[in-house]
Amino acid sequence: ELKQKDGLESFGKVIDSDVIRDLALIKVETRGTPVAFLKNNELPIGSTVIAIGHPRGLQFSVSRGVISAVRKIRSLQSGSTKIWQIQTDTAINPGNSGGPLFLDGHVIGVNTWGRRGGDTGLNFALHHKEIMKFLKRNNVNVRKGNKTAKGRG
């Protein structure tokens, strides 16, 4: 069962999943406003980003931070496969993993995990170029936003 902020509830069916990237493609019965992905794969370090999710059951929460780094690191699900991740100090807690990470209104990642044990500010989101590989494999077309990350200052 899926619940939107306006209270509308819907159901979905898993179409595909990717264990290494920790992603699932879900077809839902209702239509919403599509998000746009950032056109450019380059992400400026220090840029402000927004994470949306339901941390610890607190529905529809927003947290803000900055891009700390972009790294190709080992997947938590597969110790040998490296995938592109966005390191951020944006709070990523149980419950908001799976939600989007936005830069200037464009999706740049999917929130995945954060280092536990105190306020480390060490959190990660799957880079949108990894998401695009998964969506392309499923013949899903996405909107690309008009803005690019280059030239920001």
PDB file of all heavy atoms in Angstrom, residues 62-78:
ATOM      1  N   VAL A  62      11.456  16.334   5.668  1.00  0.00           N
ATOM      2  CA  VAL A  62      12.473  16.894   4.788  1.00  0.00           C
ATOM      3  C   VAL A  62      13.696  17.211   5.627  1.00  0.00           C
ATOM      4  O   VAL A  62      13.575  17.751   6.728  1.00  0.00           O
ATOM      5  CB  VAL A  62      11.962  18.183   4.103  1.00  0.00           C
ATOM      6  CG1 VAL A  62      13.045  18.848   3.286  1.00  0.00           C
ATOM      7  CG2 VAL A  62      10.751  17.891   3.252  1.00  0.00           C
ATOM      8  N   SER A  63      14.884  16.847   5.128  1.00  0.00           N
ATOM      9  CA  SER A  63      16.119  17.259   5.796  1.00  0.00           C
ATOM     10  C   SER A  63      17.050  17.850   4.745  1.00  0.00           C
ATOM     11  O   SER A  63      16.962  17.535   3.567  1.00  0.00           O
ATOM     12  CB  SER A  63      16.772  16.091   6.536  1.00  0.00           C
ATOM     13  OG  SER A  63      17.064  15.036   5.667  1.00  0.00           O
ATOM     14  N   ARG A  64      17.928  18.736   5.213  1.00  0.00           N
ATOM     15  CA  ARG A  64      18.807  19.459   4.296  1.00  0.00           C
ATOM     16  C   ARG A  64      20.260  19.254   4.684  1.00  0.00           C
ATOM     17  O   ARG A  64      20.580  19.141   5.864  1.00  0.00           O
ATOM     18  CB  ARG A  64      18.465  20.941   4.322  1.00  0.00           C
ATOM     19  CG  ARG A  64      19.314  21.775   3.408  1.00  0.00           C
ATOM     20  CD  ARG A  64      18.907  23.222   3.407  1.00  0.00           C
ATOM     21  NE  ARG A  64      18.984  23.720   4.770  1.00  0.00           N
ATOM     22  CZ  ARG A  64      18.400  24.824   5.186  1.00  0.00           C
ATOM     23  NH1 ARG A  64      17.690  25.537   4.353  1.00  0.00           N
ATOM     24  NH2 ARG A  64      18.523  25.224   6.417  1.00  0.00           N
ATOM     25  N   GLY A  65      21.124  19.208   3.687  1.00  0.00           N
ATOM     26  CA  GLY A  65      22.549  19.100   3.921  1.00  0.00           C
ATOM     27  C   GLY A  65      23.298  19.514   2.674  1.00  0.00           C
ATOM     28  O   GLY A  65      22.753  20.206   1.821  1.00  0.00           O
ATOM     29  N   VAL A  66      24.542  19.072   2.580  1.00  0.00           N
ATOM     30  CA  VAL A  66      25.351  19.397   1.410  1.00  0.00           C
ATOM     31  C   VAL A  66      25.954  18.128   0.826  1.00  0.00           C
ATOM     32  O   VAL A  66      26.074  17.115   1.506  1.00  0.00           O
ATOM     33  CB  VAL A  66      26.483  20.400   1.738  1.00  0.00           C
ATOM     34  CG1 VAL A  66      25.916  21.720   2.236  1.00  0.00           C
ATOM     35  CG2 VAL A  66      27.464  19.812   2.723  1.00  0.00           C
ATOM     36  N   ILE A  67      26.345  18.230  -0.440  1.00  0.00           N
ATOM     37  CA  ILE A  67      27.081  17.141  -1.072  1.00  0.00           C
ATOM     38  C   ILE A  67      28.511  17.218  -0.547  1.00  0.00           C
ATOM     39  O   ILE A  67      29.186  18.232  -0.709  1.00  0.00           O
ATOM     40  CB  ILE A  67      27.072  17.272  -2.610  1.00  0.00           C
ATOM     41  CG1 ILE A  67      25.636  17.178  -3.141  1.00  0.00           C
ATOM     42  CG2 ILE A  67      27.965  16.215  -3.244  1.00  0.00           C
ATOM     43  CD1 ILE A  67      25.508  17.501  -4.617  1.00  0.00           C
ATOM     44  N   SER A  68      28.954  16.156   0.107  1.00  0.00           N
ATOM     45  CA  SER A  68      30.306  16.113   0.652  1.00  0.00           C
ATOM     46  C   SER A  68      31.302  15.531  -0.348  1.00  0.00           C
ATOM     47  O   SER A  68      32.461  15.952  -0.391  1.00  0.00           O
ATOM     48  CB  SER A  68      30.334  15.256   1.922  1.00  0.00           C
ATOM     49  OG  SER A  68      29.400  15.730   2.862  1.00  0.00           O
ATOM     50  N   ALA A  69      30.879  14.543  -1.123  1.00  0.00           N
ATOM     51  CA  ALA A  69      31.747  13.886  -2.098  1.00  0.00           C
ATOM     52  C   ALA A  69      30.900  13.001  -2.992  1.00  0.00           C
ATOM     53  O   ALA A  69      29.751  12.697  -2.669  1.00  0.00           O
ATOM     54  CB  ALA A  69      32.810  13.035  -1.391  1.00  0.00           C
ATOM     55  N   VAL A  70      31.459  12.606  -4.112  1.00  0.00           N
ATOM     56  CA  VAL A  70      30.862  11.600  -4.986  1.00  0.00           C
ATOM     57  C   VAL A  70      31.908  10.499  -5.103  1.00  0.00           C
ATOM     58  O   VAL A  70      33.043  10.756  -5.480  1.00  0.00           O
ATOM     59  CB  VAL A  70      30.504  12.183  -6.372  1.00  0.00           C
ATOM     60  CG1 VAL A  70      29.989  11.093  -7.297  1.00  0.00           C
ATOM     61  CG2 VAL A  70      29.479  13.304  -6.228  1.00  0.00           C
ATOM     62  N   ARG A  71      31.523   9.272  -4.720  1.00  0.00           N
ATOM     63  CA  ARG A  71      32.484   8.176  -4.640  1.00  0.00           C
ATOM     64  C   ARG A  71      31.926   6.902  -5.274  1.00  0.00           C
ATOM     65  O   ARG A  71      30.739   6.658  -5.210  1.00  0.00           O
ATOM     66  CB  ARG A  71      32.789   7.848  -3.183  1.00  0.00           C
ATOM     67  CG  ARG A  71      33.240   9.008  -2.356  1.00  0.00           C
ATOM     68  CD  ARG A  71      33.454   8.583  -0.912  1.00  0.00           C
ATOM     69  NE  ARG A  71      33.799   9.692  -0.075  1.00  0.00           N
ATOM     70  CZ  ARG A  71      35.001  10.253  -0.010  1.00  0.00           C
ATOM     71  NH1 ARG A  71      35.973   9.793  -0.741  1.00  0.00           N
ATOM     72  NH2 ARG A  71      35.230  11.274   0.791  1.00  0.00           N
ATOM     73  N   LYS A  72      32.827   6.115  -5.808  1.00  0.00           N
ATOM     74  CA  LYS A  72      32.455   4.774  -6.249  1.00  0.00           C
ATOM     75  C   LYS A  72      32.911   3.840  -5.127  1.00  0.00           C
ATOM     76  O   LYS A  72      34.112   3.664  -4.907  1.00  0.00           O
ATOM     77  CB  LYS A  72      33.127   4.419  -7.574  1.00  0.00           C
ATOM     78  CG  LYS A  72      32.512   3.227  -8.233  1.00  0.00           C
ATOM     79  CD  LYS A  72      32.955   3.085  -9.680  1.00  0.00           C
ATOM     80  CE  LYS A  72      32.084   2.036 -10.365  1.00  0.00           C
ATOM     81  NZ  LYS A  72      32.441   1.896 -11.771  1.00  0.00           N
ATOM     82  N   ILE A  73      31.938   3.320  -4.377  1.00  0.00           N
ATOM     83  CA  ILE A  73      32.259   2.486  -3.217  1.00  0.00           C
ATOM     84  C   ILE A  73      31.504   1.170  -3.288  1.00  0.00           C
ATOM     85  O   ILE A  73      30.546   1.021  -4.042  1.00  0.00           O
ATOM     86  CB  ILE A  73      31.963   3.217  -1.878  1.00  0.00           C
ATOM     87  CG1 ILE A  73      30.490   3.599  -1.785  1.00  0.00           C
ATOM     88  CG2 ILE A  73      32.855   4.432  -1.729  1.00  0.00           C
ATOM     89  CD1 ILE A  73      30.104   4.239  -0.455  1.00  0.00           C
ATOM     90  N   ARG A  74      31.919   0.247  -2.465  1.00  0.00           N
ATOM     91  CA  ARG A  74      31.298  -1.079  -2.437  1.00  0.00           C
ATOM     92  C   ARG A  74      29.838  -0.992  -2.005  1.00  0.00           C
ATOM     93  O   ARG A  74      29.501  -0.311  -1.065  1.00  0.00           O
ATOM     94  CB  ARG A  74      32.053  -1.999  -1.489  1.00  0.00           C
ATOM     95  CG  ARG A  74      33.371  -2.493  -2.048  1.00  0.00           C
ATOM     96  CD  ARG A  74      34.074  -3.396  -1.067  1.00  0.00           C
ATOM     97  NE  ARG A  74      35.303  -4.035  -1.418  1.00  0.00           N
ATOM     98  CZ  ARG A  74      36.285  -3.590  -2.162  1.00  0.00           C
ATOM     99  NH1 ARG A  74      36.188  -2.438  -2.721  1.00  0.00           N
ATOM    100  NH2 ARG A  74      37.389  -4.287  -2.365  1.00  0.00           N
ATOM    101  N   SER A  75      29.021  -1.746  -2.704  1.00  0.00           N
ATOM    102  CA  SER A  75      27.607  -1.859  -2.361  1.00  0.00           C
ATOM    103  C   SER A  75      27.473  -2.573  -1.022  1.00  0.00           C
ATOM    104  O   SER A  75      28.216  -3.513  -0.732  1.00  0.00           O
ATOM    105  CB  SER A  75      26.892  -2.663  -3.453  1.00  0.00           C
ATOM    106  OG  SER A  75      25.650  -3.115  -3.025  1.00  0.00           O
ATOM    107  N   LEU A  76      26.549  -2.120  -0.195  1.00  0.00           N
ATOM    108  CA  LEU A  76      26.304  -2.799   1.080  1.00  0.00           C
ATOM    109  C   LEU A  76      25.780  -4.212   0.849  1.00  0.00           C
ATOM    110  O   LEU A  76      25.981  -5.097   1.664  1.00  0.00           O
ATOM    111  CB  LEU A  76      25.298  -2.024   1.923  1.00  0.00           C
ATOM    112  CG  LEU A  76      25.759  -0.686   2.479  1.00  0.00           C
ATOM    113  CD1 LEU A  76      24.615  -0.025   3.244  1.00  0.00           C
ATOM    114  CD2 LEU A  76      26.977  -0.833   3.339  1.00  0.00           C
ATOM    115  N   GLN A  77      25.080  -4.418  -0.277  1.00  0.00           N
ATOM    116  CA  GLN A  77      24.484  -5.712  -0.564  1.00  0.00           C
ATOM    117  C   GLN A  77      25.461  -6.668  -1.239  1.00  0.00           C
ATOM    118  O   GLN A  77      25.259  -7.862  -1.252  1.00  0.00           O
ATOM    119  CB  GLN A  77      23.240  -5.541  -1.445  1.00  0.00           C
ATOM    120  CG  GLN A  77      22.052  -4.951  -0.732  1.00  0.00           C
ATOM    121  CD  GLN A  77      22.232  -3.489  -0.362  1.00  0.00           C
ATOM    122  OE1 GLN A  77      22.915  -2.750  -1.013  1.00  0.00           O
ATOM    123  NE2 GLN A  77      21.618  -3.078   0.737  1.00  0.00           N
ATOM    124  N   SER A  78      26.520  -6.125  -1.847  1.00  0.00           N
ATOM    125  CA  SER A  78      27.499  -6.956  -2.546  1.00  0.00           C
ATOM    126  C   SER A  78      28.882  -6.386  -2.261  1.00  0.00           C
ATOM    127  O   SER A  78      29.237  -5.353  -2.785  1.00  0.00           O
ATOM    128  CB  SER A  78      27.232  -6.938  -4.056  1.00  0.00           C
ATOM    129  OG  SER A  78      28.315  -7.502  -4.744  1.00  0.00           O
TER     130      SER A  78
END
